[in-house]
Amino acid sequence: MHSETRLVLGGLTTLAVATAALVVLPYLTVRDTPPAPGLKPYTASALRGRTQYIQHGCMYCHSQQPRARDFAPDAKRGWGRATVAGDYAYDDPPLLGTMRTGPDLMNIGVRQPGEQWHLGHLFQPRAYVPGSIMPAYPFLFELRDKAEPGETVVTLPPGFVPEGKTVVARPEALDLVSYLKSLDRSYPAIDPTTTN
Amino acid sequence: MSTLSILMSAFVLSIVGLGFFIWSQRARLTDSGPEASEIIFAKGEIGHPEKAIDRTTPQAVSPRPDEAELLARVRADASSAQVVFFFYCCAFVWLLVASAAGLTASIKLHSPDWLTSEAWLSFGRIRTLHLNAVAYGWAPMAGLGTALFIIPRLLKTELAGARYALLGGALWNAALVAGLGSLAYGVSDGMEWLEIPWQIDILFVAGGALVGLPLILTLLRRTVAHLYVSVWYMGCALFWFPILFFVANFPGLHHGVEAATMNWWFGHNVLGLFYTPLALASIYYFLPKLIGRPIQSYNLSLLGFWGLAFFYGQVGGHHLIGGPVPGWLVTLSIVQSMMMILPVAAFTVNQHLTLKGHLSALRGSPTLQFICLGGLMYTASSVQGSFEALRSMNAVTHFTHYTVAHAHLGLYGFVSMVFFGAIYFVVPRITGREWPWPKLVTVHFWLAATGIAIYFVSLTIGGWLQGTAMLDPSRGFMESVHATLPYLRGRSVGGALMVLGHVIFAVHFIGLLAGASGRAVQPSPALNAATGDI
Amino acid sequence: MSSPEILPQQRRENPDPQERTTPIPWLVLALAIILAAFGVDYISHAKLDTPASWGDGRSHSELAGNKPADGAKADGAAIFASTCAACHQATGQGLPGVFPPLAGSEWVLGKPTTAAAILLHGINGPITVKGQSYQGAMPAFAASLGDAEIAAVLTYVRSQWGNAAAPLSAATVAEVRTQHAGRTGPFSGGDELKALP
């Protein structure tokens, strides 16, 4: 090869084709898909919790994309129906995830609506789920002698909290749980009466 | 027209276009007769050295062609030595940082209550630090350093504007320090491979441009007519990466599932259009160099290069198989993933033809061992990746540790191995010093090779068991977790060996800089009969 | 321009690499044709007749709702595993001091209408189970589970881990749902539940 122009133009053309397919066409067709009809916007607390979710890298172990029925039995595990573009309309960025070291969380708010469970599980996952390999997040909580009025106390089975101490959830933990509880795509993704 | 027919015609047309493009370059070579071929056949064991000298050396100073070539090489090295040395020093630092973070993350997966008191040490952050220290530290520093060394040599031109590259390298590393700091603190853009906040990315862009500039200037001032295959890969990588990085990090541009497709367009192309070409260019340079034989087929080189340039760019969608992204996009990515077998085969056959009958060179040269193992792992990981993209395979392996094993086969077994080899070759030439303890190179090689083997085998088995458990809804989710535990421990063992290898590598480098001399520096026949190199 | 010093390392190495023009082996060309044919075949078999915004490989029926269609039987064991087991554990034993047991629980084995009411609206307050007192924090499932699903999961719970109480019908759950239709918050604990008819 003698011509650097041909080399560079050729290289830029191949990249342009790839960019057209994987970025430009999705940009034109699905970027601005309107929110699915049952999708609620996040509350302020849930949005702050979403930032916590990103900060602590939850998406490296938990996906947010149940797969299609004839591909994997995700729905049978109670993880919910396959998701569509409109389910992510308020997600910036979308947290689809690439690993299931832990379960899919797209509908964790439906199957795990209890705040207490989430808080205790974040403080020490093995207190509730024996054999779990999820990290503990003790820095989202405070150990106190006594909780102040209005604070959220986390109840744990005996042996997980030092004698005489009380576990109090910090605001970050409450926000994160508020986000997790808001993860709900149990509404129909499309109007059942239409065909395609 | 239906989506299917549009996709089909786009595929067929682009394949025909690509074939024609490659063919045209091959045709031009043969058509233009002696003029073109004599440069390809320049000097050495084949070709017509007398004619080539006038064309390829700036001043005809040398009585012998080899002497002229040597002088051009020496000048090229002198112009790049300082900046290559700086890039390599940074590469060593980031290699150690990334190793420590990676091993910590690995241990945390089977010992989740280890080091949980600090947020920055939690798995989600330390894993991200590992990825970013490799992705923007070790791999580009080693790869760009090697490119800065090879390109002036191949263009028989001094590196123009080396100080821009030096400044760019400094900016880049400052950006990486700031980026890793913000990730540790918890500020992240939230997309894999694109976590570093976009504000800091501006520094990367400025730094990267300053590094690329000298290479473009050098390309324009070259004194050779024919561009050797390594130059194609390195030249294009230097254009591809800035575009990828700029488009991907542009704030406010991407949203919803489109951000996800963009994310994997970027994520896979950093691998395919940046690290891979830099490493392949290194193989194309060092392998024939070390065994003293020309690359056997320019035509296979063409097929390998343009095939990679075209197909690799479009495979990113296979990360989203079964996901909420357009089905045609996923289908296209799967097909192009399989098409990648073609350039990989072209590369493999080309290296095989070159190495054939010269395998004995491997025995005396650990550098060549690193390079050859790297080349083999390129073939292995690419072919594995192609089949992993098929829906039937992907249904099992998606979301499992199997993918992690595959990624490390590519970025460690292939890319890092090649860069290790390159550094062992380059450092004595830019410092004028010899590696003091050649035995340590062999130790490093076997630690790295054994480490990645244990790592890959463990996680591949563990990931497969995890995937099959997850596909059976009658088995609870926790079964898929328990199934992986022994293999996650195995991964830590393999990882620890790799880290140990890196520490030895770094100690050896420091020994070299400190002027330690463990052995005679004279090339001995016991090392590499062909070059006297380790 | 003065010539820089030539290092021994530079002198001993081979010249920079060159290329020969060996033609592409026919096996590689054959591979190219096979792969292109595979590509055409793969694309021609792809199912691409749904809108791009639905995603990869989704069918109309699975997107139109995840509630079991009329006549389909709700799977109590599956609902328990995905929704209840995290707190009450797969063994039905709960977690001491935090989540009460379901095995042998007087609330599970007692009046089916009370159990259904708990599932529909949840509990927030003190409750005693098998002689142990708990700070109840049971979530409400009125919105996320249908009558048939609540009936199925209750039937399942009432028949596991040594429990042997009568099954529940969806009709019973529907009645309880109507009975507490005006309710907006959870029950305030065991005392309020005991007072239910």
Side-chain angles (χ1 to χ4, degrees), chain A:
Chain A
M1 201 185 308
H2 285 46
S3 161
E4 65 267 14
T5 323
R6 179 176 242 202
L7 173 71
V8 171
L9 284 184
L12 292 183
T13 308
T14 58
L15 181 58
V17 172
T19 311
L22 270 66
V23 182
V24 179
L25 280 174
Y27 187 96
L28 297 175
T29 56
V30 290
R31 181 188 189 269
D32 299 310
T33 307
L39 182 65
K40 294 188 203 77
Y42 295 110
T43 62
S45 163
L47 265 184
R48 286 196 301 273
R50 196 167 196 276
T51 308
Q52 290 288 319
Y53 187 94
I54 292 171
Q55 280 201 359
H56 298 295
C58 305
M59 64 279 193
Y60 299 120
C61 289
H62 295 282
S63 59
Q64 289 191 9
Q65 46 165 326
R67 289 186 278 179
R69 200 161 47 193
D70 55 4
F71 199 70
D74 292 2
K76 285 194 182 142
R77 287 197 177 277
W79 291 349
R81 63 161 168 80
T83 47
V84 297
D87 290 326
Y88 301 89
Y90 300 117
D91 286 5
D92 220 359
L95 303 170
L96 296 176
T98 52
M99 291 290 288
R100 283 180 179 165
T101 309
D104 190 274
L105 296 183
M106 189 87 274
N107 288 291
I108 186 67
V110 184
R111 64 176 191 273
Q112 229 28 276
E115 183 179 67
Q116 269 298 326
W117 184 86
H118 281 295
L119 288 171
H121 184 252
L122 283 170
F123 179 78
Q124 177 47 276
R126 280 154 294 288
Y128 291 180
V129 184
S132 165
I133 58 169
M134 178 168 139
Y137 293 88
F139 43 84
L140 296 176
F141 300 85
E142 279 171 31
L143 281 180
R144 301 262 193 78
D145 294 334
K146 198 170 160 291
E148 306 289 324
E151 285 184 331
T152 309
V153 174
V154 184
T155 328
L156 288 146
F160 288 97
V161 187
E163 204 62 44
K165 292 281 182 187
T166 302
V167 179
V168 172
R170 293 166 62 102
E172 297 95 289
L174 295 173
D175 285 339
L176 180 53
V177 171
S178 147
Y179 170 64
L180 292 172
K181 283 168 65 184
S182 77
L183 288 175
D184 173 0
R185 269 76 174 174
S186 59
Y187 51 80
I190 51 173
D191 185 347
T193 54
T194 61
T195 51
N196 281 12

Side-chain angles (χ1 to χ4, degrees), chain B residues 407-480:
Chain B
H408 282 78
L409 189 65
L411 206 46
Y412 194 87
F414 161 43
V415 173
S416 296
M417 285 291 176
V418 171
F419 290 162
F420 291 147
I423 291 175
Y424 278 122
F425 181 89
V426 172
V427 167
R429 281 155 184 85
I430 56 173
T431 58
R433 297 172 183 209
E434 300 288 354
W435 292 99
W437 306 292
K439 278 218 168 65
L440 285 190
V441 183
T442 312
V443 175
H444 175 199
F445 176 79
W446 285 109
L447 282 172
T450 317
I452 186 67
I454 296 176
Y455 186 112
F456 178 76
V457 172
S458 303
L459 276 198
T460 300
I461 299 173
W464 191 266
L465 294 177
Q466 181 191 11
T468 44
M470 234 185 296
L471 280 189
D472 180 355
S474 68
R475 300 168 70 181
F477 178 78
M478 283 308 288
E479 274 195 51
S480 76

Side-chain angles (χ1 to χ4, degrees), chain B residues 297 299-300 303 345-346 349-350 353, chain C residues 22-32:
Chain B
S297 175
N299 296 310
L300 279 173
L303 183 63
V349 172
N350 211 359
L353 290 176
Chain C
T22 310
I24 295 176
W26 66 269
L27 261 174
V28 176
L29 289 176
L31 181 67

